[in-house]
Amino acid sequence: QVQLVESGGGLVQAGGSLRLSCAASGSIRDINDMRWYRQVPGEQRELVAGITRAGVINYADSVKGRFTISRDNVKNTVYLQMNSLKPEDTAVYSCNADVRMWGYFTFIPYWGQGTQVTVSS
């Protein structure tokens, strides 16, 4: 089995910073794309940022220039550095990764449990 565990959420004032981490563990052979999503109650989930195994990155327009995604392929961990936070960044942030387990040929998407980020004005 595979688990994704996020950490680093919390309460911060507008203009502040937080760093989220998401560590994948289990019988992992390799991981392709890793992504951060966020969701506000009553709204659709939004893709915040994604990074391929080779390091190709994409961001939502709303976070460009403020958020930075990175990953450590040895630690099977993806990070999201969030700077200049705004109240509209308040959401539950979840990581997602396409994982291939040992003994399997296909990549399967796994999700973390989510971590709350609250930005006060």
Side-chain angles (χ1 to χ4, degrees):
Q1 267 293 4
V2 172
Q3 279 192 317
L4 271 60
V5 178
E6 297 113 336
S7 60
L11 173 64
V12 65
Q13 286 191 331
S17 298
L18 283 174
R19 188 189 193 214
L20 305 183
S21 299
C22 173
S25 62
S27 183
I28 297 171
R29 178 178 175 179
D30 49 22
I31 302 176
N32 266 350
D33 295 358
M34 304 184 83
R35 310 169 190 89
W36 285 99
Y37 286 83
R38 66 186 180 187
Q39 188 167 24
V40 175
E43 297 185 12
Q44 277 201 323
R45 186 165 54 200
E46 176 189 21
L47 176 62
V48 175
I51 183 169
T52 69
R53 183 172 180 83
V56 177
I57 291 171
N58 64 283
Y59 295 103
D61 287 342
S62 58
V63 306
K64 281 180 182 176
R66 300 187 299 120
F67 290 11
T68 302
I69 189 171
S70 61
R71 65 188 284 174
D72 184 326
N73 291 331
V74 174
K75 295 182 179 179
N76 290 329
T77 299
V78 62
Y79 306 95
L80 187 67
Q81 177 66 43
M82 304 185 294
N83 298 329
S84 302
L85 282 162
K86 304 174 182 179
E88 51 264 44
D89 294 318
T90 296
V92 175
Y93 285 71
S94 301
C95 65
N96 165 266
D98 297 331
V99 178
R100 179 166 57 180
M101 296 174 60
W102 287 104
Y104 292 81
F105 293 101
T106 58
F107 289 85
I108 299 172
Y110 286 88
W111 288 89
Q113 81 286 356
T115 185
Q116 177 70 45
V117 171
T118 303
V119 184
S120 63
S121 55

